[in-house]
């Protein structure tokens, strides 16, 4: 337990530092606002030259107060700790010594998204969150449990990106900001979920053993066979569940088509696969 706590503290410190470097070195000179509380802080900084970290903390304060009353105290405390730490590191450690990237603005936006994404992923891995839209999302979910939070947050991020066009007086600010947000999201997903993303196939077939045998022999994977019955026909059938890496999916489709051309197949993308043949649980924790 102590070792796990030390690991989380180190991840949080490393994440705060990497996040701050990405913001100061790449995002600030690109003159973009890649969403969230820090995006609003960057716009205010552009107009007033006030410290970005302090502004981010001030923007998060009312959200933290709401989170304390409407969400869990544990979540609020951990979010507050990460927010304060990132603000302090950014304003008092990174900004005074870190230079700004002076190259191409597009590269600045892309690499800013990469570095900030790495920092945020490390913070998330430590069990903390940077606040901003994360808190807004939880609060919206609390208030409107059946509403699409993803759509709501997308609208919020879109408004921030739109505002950045007028603040920086440049259409490219919104476009480059969108690129940075996209790259950031992909980097976070890649680090948190790893490279073991795969495809899950749900196969309704009359030849489950034939398909399973070839999957075992050719892909060195296994399957789960479930008995089923068609609701319309009432006829007995079988459902074969199989998860493979994305690079193996074309071969799986070929096997299914050759074994049972009349099979009905549904495919779902999996963000992470744990267990035999994939990443072990020890690596994932």
């Amino acid at each position: 337990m102590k070792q796990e706590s030390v690991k989380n503290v180190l991840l949080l410190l490393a994440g705060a530092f990497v996040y701050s470097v990405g913001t100061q070195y790449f995002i600030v000179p690109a003159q973009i606002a890649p969403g969230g509380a820090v995006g609003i802080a960057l716009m205010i900084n552009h107009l007033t030259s006030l410290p970005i970290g302090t502004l981010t903390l001030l923007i998060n304060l009312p959200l933290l107060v709401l989170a304390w009353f409407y969400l869990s105290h544990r979540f609020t405390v951990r979010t507050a700790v990460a927010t304060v730490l990132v603000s302090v590191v950014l304003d008092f450690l990174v900004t005074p010594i870190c230079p700004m990237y002076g190259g191409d603005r597009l590269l600045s936006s892309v690499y800013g998204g990469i570095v900030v994404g790495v920092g945020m992923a490390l913070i998330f891995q430590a069990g903390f969150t940077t606040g901003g839209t994360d808190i807004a999302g939880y609060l919206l979910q609390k208030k409107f449990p059946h509403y699409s939070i993803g759509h709501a947050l997308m609208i919020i991020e879109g408004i921030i990106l739109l505002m950045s066009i007028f603040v920086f007086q440049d259409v490219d600010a919104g476009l480059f900001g969108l690129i940075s947000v996209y790259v950031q999201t992909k980097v976070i997903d890649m680090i948190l979920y790893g490279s073991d993303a795969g495809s899950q196939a749900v196969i309704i077939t009359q030849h489950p053993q034939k398909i399973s045998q070839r999957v075992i022999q050719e892909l060195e994977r296994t399957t789960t066979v479930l008995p089923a019955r068609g609701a319309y026909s009432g006829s007995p059938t079988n459902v074969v569940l199989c998860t493979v890496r994305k690079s193996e999916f074309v071969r799986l489709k070929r096997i299914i088509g050759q074994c049972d051309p009349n099979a009905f197949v549904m495919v779902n993308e999996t963000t992470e696969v744990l267990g035999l043949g994939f990443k072990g649980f020890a690596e994932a924790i």
Side-chain angles (χ1 to χ4, degrees), residues 55-216:
L55 288 169
T56 304
L57 181 59
L58 291 174
I59 292 165
N60 274 306
L61 276 179
L63 291 171
L64 288 168
V65 171
L66 290 172
W68 179 264
F69 288 106
Y70 295 104
L71 302 176
S72 74
H73 290 181
R74 178 182 171 84
F75 168 81
T76 306
V77 170
R78 294 177 79 85
T79 303
V81 168
T83 303
V84 171
L85 180 61
V86 169
S87 299
V88 170
V89 170
L90 178 57
D91 282 352
F92 299 102
L93 180 61
V94 172
T95 299
I97 63 173
C98 183
M100 293 186 186
Y101 177 72
D104 183 77
R105 195 177 179 193
L106 175 59
L107 290 178
S108 189
S109 302
V110 171
Y111 283 103
I114 292 172
V115 178
V116 170
V118 170
M120 291 187 71
L122 293 174
I123 293 171
F124 293 159
Q125 282 185 322
F128 294 79
T129 176
T130 53
T133 50
D134 295 326
I135 300 177
Y138 284 118
L139 289 171
L140 283 170
Q141 193 170 45
K142 189 83 173 179
K143 183 69 175 176
F144 308 104
H146 302 297
Y147 191 72
S148 174
I149 303 305
H151 290 164
L153 293 182
M154 195 162 56
I155 292 171
I156 294 171
E157 300 288 5
I159 291 172
I160 295 172
L161 289 171
L162 187 63
M163 286 171 57
S164 70
I165 295 174
F166 296 98
V167 172
F168 295 113
Q169 296 185 344
D170 182 10
V171 174
D172 285 345
L175 299 176
F176 288 141
L178 182 62
I179 292 172
S180 189
V181 170
Y182 177 80
V183 172
Q184 178 181 307
T185 303
K186 288 298 180 182
V187 169
I188 291 172
D189 287 347
M190 184 178 68
I191 293 175
L192 292 183
Y193 302 124
S195 58
D196 272 324
S199 298
Q200 179 195 56
V202 180
I203 311 157
I204 301 173
T205 177
Q206 295 294 332
H207 305 284
Q209 296 305 324
K210 193 175 179 182
I211 292 173
S212 298
Q213 198 63 37
R214 287 194 57 183
V215 167
I216 293 169

Side-chain angles (χ1 to χ4, degrees), residues 187-268:
V187 169
I188 291 172
D189 287 347
M190 184 178 68
I191 293 175
L192 292 183
Y193 302 124
S195 58
D196 272 324
S199 298
Q200 179 195 56
V202 180
I203 311 157
I204 301 173
T205 177
Q206 295 294 332
H207 305 284
Q209 296 305 324
K210 193 175 179 182
I211 292 173
S212 298
Q213 198 63 37
R214 287 194 57 183
V215 167
I216 293 169
Q217 290 175 350
E218 298 178 28
L219 301 182
E220 296 184 347
R221 299 289 176 197
T222 188
T223 66
T224 300
V225 180
L226 305 173
R229 182 177 295 277
Y232 178 76
S233 66
S235 304
T237 186
N238 298 278
V239 176
V240 179
L241 303 179
C242 181
T243 301
V244 296
R245 286 193 172 91
K246 289 185 177 181
S247 59
E248 300 169 326
F249 183 65
V250 173
R251 293 163 64 195
L252 176 63
K253 282 200 298 184
R254 187 178 299 118
I255 289 171
I256 297 169
Q258 291 172 351
C259 293
D260 184 3
N262 297 316
F264 184 78
V265 184
M266 293 169 284
V267 183
N268 299 305

